[in-house]
Amino acid sequence: MEERLAQTGLADDLAVVTSHRSDPAAAVAEVVAGVGRRTLAGGLMFCSHRYPREPLARALAGRFGGIPLIGCTSAGELSQRGYDEDSLVFIGFPAADFRMALHCFDDLDRFDPVIGREAIRQLATGLAEVELEGGFAPRPSRAAIFLVDGLSHREELLAMTVQEALGETPLVGGSSGDGMRFHETGILVGDRFLRDAAVVALLSSRRPMQAFTANHYLPGAEKMVVTAADPAARVVHQINARPAADEYLRLAGRTGEQLDAAFFAAHPPMVRAGGGYHVRSIQSVNPDGSLTFYCAIDNGIVLSIGEPVDRVSQLERLFDGIEAGLGGIDHVIGFDCVLNRIDAERRQLQRAVSDLYARRGVVGFNTYGEQFRAAHINQTLSGLAIGR
């Protein structure tokens, strides 16, 4: 990994520091140097899947053990230079303007929504007491940052449960990544990396904050009906009563092409739900011609194949609107689907999107999926914009 440190410079900004040192202790030491003497209410950490997890968790706990700290492994990072890789990105929230409280869910296969809702309600009650003690305004801004194991297949249930308990407080987050290996991801909670886990960070601030989501596609005319699926495995065997992979290729107008991540990113299936269209991304093609999806899929779902919009112009308008609403942006904590990054490369947009992210202060990671309010979604840029 290239040895390089980048950081923000203003004392009242979020403390955003990036290191490219491959040794965990050296990377964390650079983060500490970048944070300096600022007192933090909590922190986020997103890192390459190549970092050794136990040494990294120990190093972080040794330097930041006194504050709430969460994070995850990624499929790519978003740093001050835009798209990044083989890096560690740290985001610290200044104690003067923020409060942060955590709750972790482990053993997701046994997740109980009733117990989960009560845990989040208690978390919110506890944060309200901390806000009162800290002299925050009667109605501070609140948002929940959500990180979940990207291979758990539990994102839908968790997002719905947590958002229901949060009420009007918006949830936004992402599914942890493992590069493009899809082997094992890690969720950082305090001094441990966990698998089959999720964590909620309830964030309160004196500053305005805005959660948002956007995708870069419009539905095309061709329709696909899922006629044979295994919902538990997120596998589609048939589309329009034909082998799924063959029919998807035919409707995309690309018969004979290779089905890979770049193809899936360029031709994303979309479903109509809640008054709008949302991407249901494909993860892989299987030897039997079936398709594995990143998100929930079931028999009878009608899909369209997405067609791209002008992504750079769309993003400029998105951030202009958010900045106007907040009266200025400190940083944007971004959860950007890895398929967006792959598609940007395929369409030769990577430099333009990366430069835009850097200029607009977007920091975060490339995900295996995003969560916005009660929904688990794909191929979006979702995030939390922090005002000044």
Side-chain angles (χ1 to χ4, degrees):
M1 298 182 190
E2 173 192 0
E3 296 187 1
R4 180 177 179 271
L5 170 70
Q7 66 185 74
T8 54
L10 300 178
D12 58 348
D13 278 349
L14 298 191
V16 179
V17 189
T18 302
S19 176
H20 294 84
R21 291 188 177 270
S22 59
D23 176 72
V28 173
E30 284 199 331
V31 169
V32 171
V35 171
R37 297 184 178 181
R38 283 179 280 192
T39 302
L40 302 180
L44 307 175
M45 188 285 310
F46 306 119
C47 68
S48 166
H49 67 285
R50 294 189 174 92
Y51 278 98
R53 295 174 193 176
E54 290 187 9
L56 178 57
R58 285 197 302 270
L60 287 164
R63 298 297 191 105
F64 295 103
I67 65 171
L69 178 65
I70 67 169
C72 66
T73 58
S74 77
E77 299 79 59
L78 307 176
S79 75
Q80 296 93 321
R81 65 184 189 186
Y83 284 137
D84 214 333
E85 59 185 350
D86 293 340
S87 65
L88 183 156
V89 178
F90 178 87
I91 304 165
F93 299 99
D97 288 334
F98 294 89
R99 294 293 183 269
M100 183 169 156
L102 310 180
H103 184 82
C104 176
F105 297 107
D106 56 11
D107 195 7
L108 296 184
D109 285 339
R110 299 184 181 183
F111 175 73
D112 185 327
V114 175
I115 296 173
R117 280 191 291 271
E118 181 58 28
I120 297 302
R121 287 170 182 148
Q122 290 182 9
L123 184 71
T125 298
L127 184 63
E129 295 173 356
V130 172
E131 290 168 345
L132 186 62
E133 293 170 1
F136 276 42
R139 293 184 62 84
S141 299
R142 274 191 177 189
I145 295 173
F146 180 72
L147 303 175
V148 58
D149 187 331
L151 301 177
S152 68
H153 289 193
R154 306 293 281 176
E155 298 98 327
E156 287 87 1
L157 177 60
L158 284 156
M160 286 189 293
T161 300
V162 173
Q163 185 61 75
E164 182 181 351
L166 289 170
E168 295 181 0
T169 300
L171 173 151
V172 65
S175 302
S176 55
D178 181 32
M180 293 301 288
R181 299 187 309 170
F182 304 103
H183 174 61
E184 182 177 291
T185 80
I187 298 292
L188 177 73
V189 183
D191 61 354
R192 297 181 299 160
F193 273 100
L194 306 173
R195 59 182 300 274
D196 193 33
V199 63
V200 179
L202 193 52
L203 192 65
S204 174
S205 181
R206 302 179 194 273
R207 306 186 192 184
M209 301 188 291
Q210 181 177 334
F212 67 90
T213 188
N215 72 57
H216 315 303
Y217 302 87
L218 293 173
E222 296 286 357
K223 302 297 181 185
M224 307 188 294
V225 180
V226 176
T227 48
D230 179 352
R234 296 179 173 174
V235 173
V236 172
H237 294 281
Q238 292 186 355
I239 293 171
N240 298 340
R242 298 177 179 178
D246 291 345
E247 182 68 354
Y248 167 61
L249 265 174
R250 185 184 72 82
L251 293 174
R254 298 291 189 273
T255 302
E257 286 196 26
Q258 180 181 356
L259 284 177
D260 56 16
F263 189 96
F264 301 142
H267 307 282
M270 303 187 76
V271 63
R272 185 173 177 82
Y277 279 88
H278 307 278
V279 173
R280 290 286 183 266
S281 294
I282 300 170
Q283 177 181 312
S284 60
V285 60
N286 303 311
D288 64 355
S290 62
L291 299 170
T292 297
F293 281 67
Y294 276 104
C295 58
I297 201 76
D298 206 346
N299 292 301
I301 289 180
V302 179
L303 301 167
S304 302
I305 296 179
E307 299 177 351
V309 301
D310 184 334
R311 186 183 310 190
V312 173
S313 296
Q314 180 202 47
L315 288 170
E316 295 283 16
R317 291 193 300 271
L318 171 70
F319 290 124
D320 282 346
I322 293 173
E323 186 163 15
L326 294 178
I329 294 176
D330 182 324
H331 280 83
V332 177
I333 301 168
F335 308 100
D336 189 28
C337 183
V338 65
L339 293 179
N340 281 338
R341 183 167 179 163
I342 291 170
D343 195 38
E345 293 172 2
R346 178 180 173 126
R347 299 183 191 280
Q348 299 183 345
L349 292 172
Q350 184 177 19
R351 174 61 65 85
V353 174
S354 181
D355 289 348
L356 186 153
Y357 283 173
R359 178 165 42 83
R360 295 290 191 163
V362 180
V363 289
F365 75 105
N366 292 119
T367 75
Y368 281 179
E370 305 79 61
Q371 294 77 45
F372 183 73
R373 295 191 178 272
H376 172 55
I377 49 184
N378 296 132
Q379 220 159 328
T380 74
L381 171 65
S382 298
L384 182 66
I386 309 291
R388 292 194 177 277

